[in-house]
Amino acid sequence: MLAGTKKAKLSYFELYQLKWFLGGCLALVSLWTLFYLEVQSGPLLVVTCMAVASVMAFPRLSGRIPKVLWKASTPLLIAVVTVDFLISRPDIIPPLVRMIVMLVLIRTLQYRTRREDLQLVLLCLFIVVISGVMTLSLTFAVQILVFTPCAMTLLFFINITESFERKEGVPIGCWADFRLTHFLARVWQMTDFRMLVFSALIFLGVLAVSSVIFILMPRFRLDHALPFLNLNSKKSLSGFSDSISFGDVVEIIEDDSVALRVDKAPAGSVERTPYWRMVVLDEYYNGNFRMSDSAKAKNQLYSDNFFQAQGKKIEVTNDPKAHKWTFYLEGGITRYLPRLGMQSGLRFQNRQDVEFNDRLRVVGTKKISSSVLFYQLENMNSQSEFAPTEADSGISELKPLELTMVGHYAKKKIRYPQTTLVIPAGDENIAALTMQVATINAGEAINSQEFSARAVRFLAERHGYSLKSMIPSGKTDFLVRWMLSSEPGHCELFAGAFSLLARAAGFPTRVVTGFKGGTWNGYENYYMVRNKDAHAWCEMFDAKANNGQGGWFRVDPTPGSGSANAMSDDAGWVGQLLIDRTWRAYLDSLRILWYRRIVNFDEDQQQELASQIKTLGNNFLFALKSEMRGWLETMRSWITGPWSRGKWIRLGQGLGLLGMGVVLAISLPSLIARLLRRSGLFGMRLTHDPVRRRAGQFVSRFRNALPRVARSPEIPPKEWNCVYRELPALRFGPDADWPNPKSVFRAARDLLSRAARV
């Protein structure tokens, strides 16, 4: 603070106003963390933030709220919360968070006592903890750094005002002449910047110690110790569930945010255009593809950290030769795990309930996580072909099966793999599909590979690619009407149309949704897959593959998809990718650093870091000892060597530089103090100005002599008090209001000498 501007301390009214303002700031910071949490509370958060900001700027608004409304707030809140919990069940966290937000709103609108201020701090702390545990967002690191000093400052002022509050109560009338700009200027005027710097240094020290504790402490996660904090979304993004309608994938394509980040294995091969396979849909009915109940009937459920490709539990293997892929799947997208193909091991960061579908070779968690899901695949192979499973036996002998649109209940009797050959019934549908298949076959008996190539060209010649498509009206099937038209289409229409054509030709086919492609982050070297990379393609059964055993192979009928089977080595793979070095990629690289080093910091990384620190320490000590030995040997050789005039000159130069360094080190602190004293920064004028320093010395001597003066009739009290009032003015007051320092010091010396004779 500047000594020339400080006139007085903050009054109790101003302290209470500052405490009120800090409470609002703390509430806004905590509410800020909830905007990254999927709890369906957007409107409530916006209204609460606007209300808090309004009463911070105009505190008199709180006094205008009728008392009747405050009395009715408790039963009304109980009723609203009860209904919210009943409607939202079995989800507990969303209504719980909304309840806390409403409590924060009530506390910030009230003129608070000390007890209510402490309640507000606890409510805000609960919000921040919930948000941090569930979102695991990089932004949370910034939020907690803002929240912590704000909460500590509020607690500091709560303790300061406690004694005043006991005597005078809550000063309701302090808002009559409140002006926000004047209040902030007054607080700035009274701010002691030395204390701010000291507090900042303490905070940085606590932060450093906390970082060390984080590295050294045993691994522990709050959301695993408290299962109710495992918030799960009710549904995935459209297009990534086991039932999709046409247009669902397009909704995802319009979203440019990153959905998946992948740390690639150090070796191995992968397709030039990776297909991140997620959901397999075998059943078609009334314009929609879905995963049939019969295909899901034998899903295997496991609850652990480690799994094999067949769904069986395996022991923990720390094989350094294993090719490991680490996936960071953003929350709220899907419960199915994106993969390029089969793997030898699947490892999660923590215990998970996992479903494995051996028929469709799909792996997913039991519920959709609202926070980032971390999992690691070992020895994953990029596959465009899959061998048949036991459930596929006899599939080559099946024939296309017509299913009428009114046979909704009859379709339940159709079992997998017959579901991969279902086509829409009706004379017009069958006639249209038969005509299209005949055009593709051209009167020849062709195999599945040749048919897929011809069908892809057939669709590309008649339809362009577009995210928007107009489907002609009519009574025939949705996809049939589009095939007969010349309208452009998106990946879902091409995949669905190809599936019906292949099924009508007698080739079992199923639709697959997931991601295709992505970009390579040029800053931290990992794969970024965005929601706009969502894609749909097909898998077609080839009865003659695998030496007659059959198998499924991928077909991407969407125009511009390119070759699906082009492979390259590891270096070529990165070379084929679009390397992203934009500002957005840089910001995203900070997020994956947060995931790698903070959120996903487990016991293995802890041991690895400890080993690295130990190795670095040993290397540093060894290098230091070597340097010291070399330096001492050089000095010994230099001293014992022959002395010449040049050697004496160099010795004199060295001693001169050493002396200059010593003088500079001694005089530098006083030089800095003089500069600060002249500038007045950090209150240096108050402590180093000679007049102020001397006045402070006299104040201390006057205080010590006060008992003797009280017993002496020779010193008039009026004269003593007059000088005693002028000394603090010289010590703390502005320069313009100073009395004559020489006269004051002369009178002070005279009074002290007379007091010494008592």
Side-chain angles (χ1 to χ4, degrees), residues 168-180:
E168 305 179 24
V170 178
I172 306 298
C174 68
W175 307 111
D177 299 324
F178 180 85
R179 297 292 184 273
L180 182 61

Side-chain angles (χ1 to χ4, degrees), residues 288-500:
N288 297 326
F289 276 93
R290 64 187 297 270
M291 188 183 299
S292 65
D293 295 336
S294 59
K296 297 187 295 183
K298 293 186 178 181
N299 281 1
Q300 296 170 304
L301 178 64
Y302 297 93
S303 179
D304 214 320
N305 298 66
F306 304 93
F307 304 88
Q308 282 182 334
Q310 291 77 19
K312 298 178 181 179
K313 180 180 176 182
I314 62 174
E315 299 297 328
V316 181
T317 58
N318 295 318
D319 184 6
K321 298 181 180 180
H323 301 159
K324 297 179 181 179
W325 300 63
T326 303
F327 288 71
Y328 307 88
L329 179 63
E330 289 295 321
I333 293 179
T334 181
R335 70 183 187 89
Y336 294 99
L337 306 184
R339 300 181 300 160
L340 295 177
M342 305 302 291
Q343 75 285 330
S344 62
L346 168 61
R347 175 178 179 175
F348 290 90
Q349 185 191 32
N350 50 76
R351 182 177 295 274
Q352 288 286 345
D353 292 332
V354 178
E355 284 187 344
F356 181 81
N357 190 310
D358 186 49
R359 295 182 173 183
L360 305 178
R361 291 188 172 87
V362 171
V363 179
T365 56
K366 184 65 175 178
K367 297 180 180 179
I368 305 168
S369 175
S370 65
S371 59
V372 183
L373 180 65
F374 305 91
Y375 62 98
Q376 191 174 77
L377 302 179
E378 293 185 356
N379 299 321
M380 181 179 65
N381 297 317
S382 184
Q383 294 178 251
S384 59
E385 300 180 0
F386 294 90
T389 63
E390 183 179 349
D392 295 324
S393 60
I395 189 174
S396 58
E397 301 175 1
L398 299 175
K399 302 298 180 183
L401 178 64
E402 302 174 18
L403 183 64
T404 61
M405 292 187 181
V406 296
H408 176 68
Y409 297 99
K411 72 182 180 67
K412 294 185 177 181
K413 299 180 181 179
I414 302 174
R415 312 290 297 177
Y416 180 88
Q418 181 66 67
T419 53
T420 61
L421 281 162
V422 169
I423 57 176
D427 294 339
E428 295 182 3
N429 291 326
I430 300 302
L433 290 174
T434 302
M435 179 185 66
Q436 304 273 24
V437 170
T439 303
I440 295 172
N441 289 335
E444 302 177 20
I446 57 178
N447 58 26
S448 58
Q449 296 281 353
E450 179 64 23
F451 180 87
S452 66
R454 292 188 183 186
V456 169
R457 290 196 299 269
F458 176 82
L459 292 173
E461 291 170 357
R462 287 160 175 77
H463 306 279
Y465 181 82
S466 175
L467 293 179
K468 296 182 179 180
S469 180
M470 296 294 295
I471 308 299
S473 59
K475 297 181 179 179
T476 55
D477 182 79
F478 176 86
L479 290 175
V480 173
R481 295 201 305 271
W482 179 77
M483 277 191 291
L484 295 177
S485 71
S486 59
E487 290 289 332
H490 42 76
C491 59
E492 294 172 272
L493 292 172
F494 280 98
F498 177 87
S499 177
L500 293 190

Side-chain angles (χ1 to χ4, degrees), residues 149-167:
C150 188
M152 294 174 65
T153 307
L154 177 57
L155 291 172
F156 175 74
F157 281 98
I158 290 174
N159 291 330
I160 287 180
T161 58
E162 180 182 6
S163 59
F164 295 99
E165 192 173 302
R166 290 176 180 175
K167 298 177 182 179

Side-chain angles (χ1 to χ4, degrees), residues 579-591:
I579 300 179
D580 193 346
R581 294 186 180 274
T582 61
W583 176 248
R584 292 181 60 196
Y586 176 74
L587 293 179
D588 195 80
S589 67
L590 299 179
R591 180 181 293 273

Side-chain angles (χ1 to χ4, degrees), residues 662-698:
V662 172
V663 172
L664 182 62
I666 295 174
S667 60
L668 188 60
S670 60
L671 177 62
I672 295 175
R674 279 198 297 271
L675 292 175
L676 291 175
R677 184 167 64 250
R678 291 179 180 178
S679 63
L681 293 176
F682 305 115
M684 294 299 292
R685 239 196 289 172
L686 181 64
T687 57
H688 291 278
D689 189 283
V691 174
R692 297 181 184 276
R693 184 170 62 248
R694 195 171 184 186
Q697 294 171 354
F698 274 114

Side-chain angles (χ1 to χ4, degrees), residues 230-289:
N230 288 318
L231 177 64
N232 298 295
S233 300
K234 291 184 177 179
K235 60 179 182 179
S236 63
L237 288 180
S238 58
F240 289 153
S241 63
D242 51 16
S243 177
I244 66 169
S245 300
F246 285 97
D248 287 348
V249 176
V250 176
E251 293 181 11
I252 309 173
I253 295 176
E254 296 174 351
D255 184 2
D256 194 40
S257 59
V258 177
L260 177 68
R261 298 169 182 85
V262 184
D263 278 339
K264 186 183 177 294
S269 61
V270 72
E271 297 167 324
R272 295 176 187 266
T273 305
Y275 283 78
W276 309 94
R277 189 175 183 268
M278 294 171 61
V279 189
V280 178
L281 311 169
D282 61 300
E283 182 179 273
Y284 177 72
Y285 176 74
N286 199 18
N288 297 326
F289 276 93

Side-chain angles (χ1 to χ4, degrees), residues 449-636:
Q449 296 281 353
E450 179 64 23
F451 180 87
S452 66
R454 292 188 183 186
V456 169
R457 290 196 299 269
F458 176 82
L459 292 173
E461 291 170 357
R462 287 160 175 77
H463 306 279
Y465 181 82
S466 175
L467 293 179
K468 296 182 179 180
S469 180
M470 296 294 295
I471 308 299
S473 59
K475 297 181 179 179
T476 55
D477 182 79
F478 176 86
L479 290 175
V480 173
R481 295 201 305 271
W482 179 77
M483 277 191 291
L484 295 177
S485 71
S486 59
E487 290 289 332
H490 42 76
C491 59
E492 294 172 272
L493 292 172
F494 280 98
F498 177 87
S499 177
L500 293 190
L501 289 174
R503 292 181 179 191
F507 301 112
T509 308
R510 55 200 188 189
V511 173
V512 183
T513 61
F515 295 109
K516 174 190 173 185
T519 56
W520 184 261
N521 188 288
Y523 295 98
E524 284 298 324
N525 298 324
Y526 64 95
Y527 212 60
M528 297 187 302
V529 182
R530 302 182 182 275
N531 283 320
K532 69 177 183 180
D533 297 321
H535 193 55
W537 62 92
C538 296
E539 288 180 351
M540 189 174 181
F541 191 81
D542 183 3
K544 297 182 180 180
N546 296 321
N547 297 323
Q549 296 181 1
W552 298 89
F553 66 95
R554 182 173 62 231
V555 180
D556 192 346
T558 305
S561 298
S563 174
N565 299 316
M567 305 291 289
S568 64
D569 58 17
D570 187 62
W573 177 69
V574 177
Q576 298 294 330
L577 298 179
L578 174 63
I579 300 179
D580 193 346
R581 294 186 180 274
T582 61
W583 176 248
R584 292 181 60 196
Y586 176 74
L587 293 179
D588 195 80
S589 67
L590 299 179
R591 180 181 293 273
I592 202 169
L593 283 175
W594 169 259
Y595 289 159
R596 287 172 179 169
R597 302 305 179 194
I598 305 298
V599 178
N600 204 26
F601 189 77
D602 56 12
E603 185 177 356
D604 294 338
Q605 295 190 34
Q606 190 178 27
Q607 295 175 354
E608 180 182 355
L609 180 60
S611 176
Q612 291 176 352
I613 293 175
K614 181 180 179 181
T615 302
L616 289 175
N618 292 335
N619 293 339
F620 174 76
L621 291 176
F622 178 78
L624 182 62
K625 291 178 181 178
S626 300
E627 288 291 332
M628 290 295 294
R629 283 195 296 266
W631 183 78
L632 291 175
E633 181 63 26
T634 302
M635 288 293 297
R636 187 188 65 80

